[in-house]
Amino acid sequence: MDLITTRTLSKAFIEDILQKAQGYEKAARAKKNLTVLKGKTLATLFFEPSTRTQMSFQAAMLRLGGNFVGFSDPKSTSASKGETLADTIRVVEGYAHAIVMRHAVEGAPARAAELTDLPVINAGDGSNQHPSQALLDLFTLQQEKGKIDGLTVLLAGDLKYGRTVHSLMYALSHYDVDIQLFSPPSLKMPESIVNDVKERVSVKEVTDFGDADVVYATRVQRERFADAEEYQRSLYTIDEAMLSKIKSDAIILHPLPRVKEIAPEVDLDSRAKYFQQSFYGVPTRMAILETLIGASND
Ligand code: NCD
């Protein structure tokens, strides 16, 4: 099995991952290495920059008793000599039991999955999808709010180019939630995604944070803009003044990295949970790796 998009995930799969992640939380927190994937190797192929996603997949593999090979700078690989993705995948197939891949080209991980029988996990493809992030975001809601059903979840920022929110829309649509969208007119959530989910879940555009139980801020994706001025115009900041307009029991999330979207002073507020959220990447990715790679035979 591959993990390429949340669009086609079943609720049963999502719930299974959340339950397994819960089971792994303690080991992840204690940085204790288990033996579930002993003898297994993960390939982490990062053709685009990454800190959290790459390192938390690697940490998750180590926590499960496995190991990893990979690269984080395609300039240091034969891709820079002109090697095709197909050849890279064929080669990596001989070195690993599963592949985690991030690529600037939308659909590249899906293409890789067609080329190999190994499980392929999409760790972000252009502006398209980032499914493991959406699963860890749901796990964060479960841990920090105690539930997912009944929540009003506000997605703020770059809803056009942000792949994390695209994946999160589909993942949330399995639950009884109200989704609120807050963005500049030029960075709205693609209509195709809203249309896909709106039969299952309520989606509306809002102009303030007042009703939200969860404020999910995103980075304006500078690398996807052709026009530098449009980028500058799209920037926004959640600062101390804005905090007073957010519910006292709400949580503030961000997939990180943040640039200007959340002022550093917000970190001191008890509602700020984005660093917790990045930690939850480890148990969630342990659950994903265990599910896709399976238990070791030896
Ligand atoms: C995100 C990404 O790469 O899409 N980062 C992450 O994986 N946590 C968000 C971003 O880059 O803005």
Side-chain angles (χ1 to χ4, degrees), residues 49 52-53 102 130 133 163-164 219 221 223 254-257:
R52 270 151 295 276
T53 305
R102 171 170 288 186
H130 191 353
Q133 177 73 43
R163 54 196 174 198
T164 69
R219 180 175 67 87
Q221 307 280 297
E223 65 275 35
H254 190 305
L256 302 177

Side-chain angles (χ1 to χ4, degrees), residues 21-32 52-53 55-57 59-60 63 132-133 135-137 139-140 143-144 253-256 273-287:
Q22 180 86 63
Y24 284 131
E25 202 212 334
K26 208 168 142 213
R29 226 176 256 291
K31 300 179 190 147
K32 182 175 184 290
R52 270 151 295 276
T53 305
M55 288 175 64
S56 65
F57 264 116
R63 296 287 169 263
S132 66
Q133 177 73 43
L135 293 168
L136 84 85
D137 294 338
F139 186 59
T140 305
Q143 297 305 101
E144 297 296 330
L253 303 182
H254 190 305
L256 302 177
K273 298 291 184 194
Y274 26 90
F275 291 114
Q276 269 305 315
Q277 181 186 6
S278 69
F279 162 74
Y280 290 134
V282 178
T284 307
R285 289 177 169 127
M286 289 171 80

Side-chain angles (χ1 to χ4, degrees), residues 135-157:
L135 293 168
L136 84 85
D137 294 338
L138 292 188
F139 186 59
T140 305
L141 300 188
Q142 184 184 287
Q143 297 305 101
E144 297 296 330
K145 293 296 294 178
K147 60 176 187 178
I148 302 172
D149 286 323
L151 295 176
T152 296
V153 181
L154 181 145
L155 309 180

Side-chain angles (χ1 to χ4, degrees), residues 73-262:
D73 179 4
K75 286 202 235 38
S76 71
T77 72
S78 290
S80 68
K81 301 180 190 167
E83 183 167 62
T84 63
L85 180 63
D87 282 4
T88 304
I89 296 300
R90 207 162 297 151
V91 168
V92 170
E93 208 170 31
Y95 304 157
H97 298 92
I99 296 173
V100 173
M101 182 177 149
R102 171 170 288 186
H103 205 287
V105 176
E106 291 187 15
R111 171 95 186 99
E114 283 167 14
L115 293 166
T116 175
D117 290 335
L118 296 185
V120 175
I121 298 170
N122 176 8
D125 60 327
S127 302
N128 186 33
Q129 281 271 327
H130 191 353
S132 66
Q133 177 73 43
L135 293 168
L136 84 85
D137 294 338
L138 292 188
F139 186 59
T140 305
L141 300 188
Q142 184 184 287
Q143 297 305 101
E144 297 296 330
K145 293 296 294 178
K147 60 176 187 178
I148 302 172
D149 286 323
L151 295 176
T152 296
V153 181
L154 181 145
L155 309 180
D158 187 346
L159 308 184
K160 180 179 179 187
Y161 298 115
R163 54 196 174 198
T164 69
V165 279
H166 298 165
S167 289
L168 189 52
M169 287 283 281
Y170 290 109
L172 282 171
S173 73
H174 291 283
Y175 294 86
D176 178 20
V177 294
D178 286 328
I179 300 178
Q180 300 189 329
L181 306 177
F182 177 101
S183 69
S186 60
L187 296 180
K188 281 190 185 179
M189 181 65 68
E191 230 168 272
S192 59
I193 298 179
V194 175
N195 286 337
D196 279 348
V197 305
K198 77 176 182 211
E199 274 179 19
R200 292 206 293 265
V201 81
S202 123
V203 182
K204 70 171 185 200
E205 289 179 15
V206 296
T207 52
D208 66 69
F209 293 179
D211 288 336
D213 301 306
V214 179
V215 174
Y216 188 102
T218 61
R219 180 175 67 87
V220 181
Q221 307 280 297
R222 188 178 57 192
E223 65 275 35
R224 319 270 180 227
F225 279 74
D227 178 350
E229 272 178 32
E230 196 201 332
Y231 167 71
Q232 286 298 335
R233 272 198 306 275
S234 306
L235 296 175
Y236 70 104
T237 304
I238 298 177
D239 56 14
E240 211 159 7
M242 264 169 105
L243 278 178
S244 63
K245 297 175 183 135
I246 297 176
K247 275 189 186 175
S248 59
D249 63 346
I251 57 171
I252 303 169
L253 303 182
H254 190 305
L256 302 177
R258 67 172 148 179
V259 187
K260 295 257 162 67
E261 311 80 55
I262 301 182

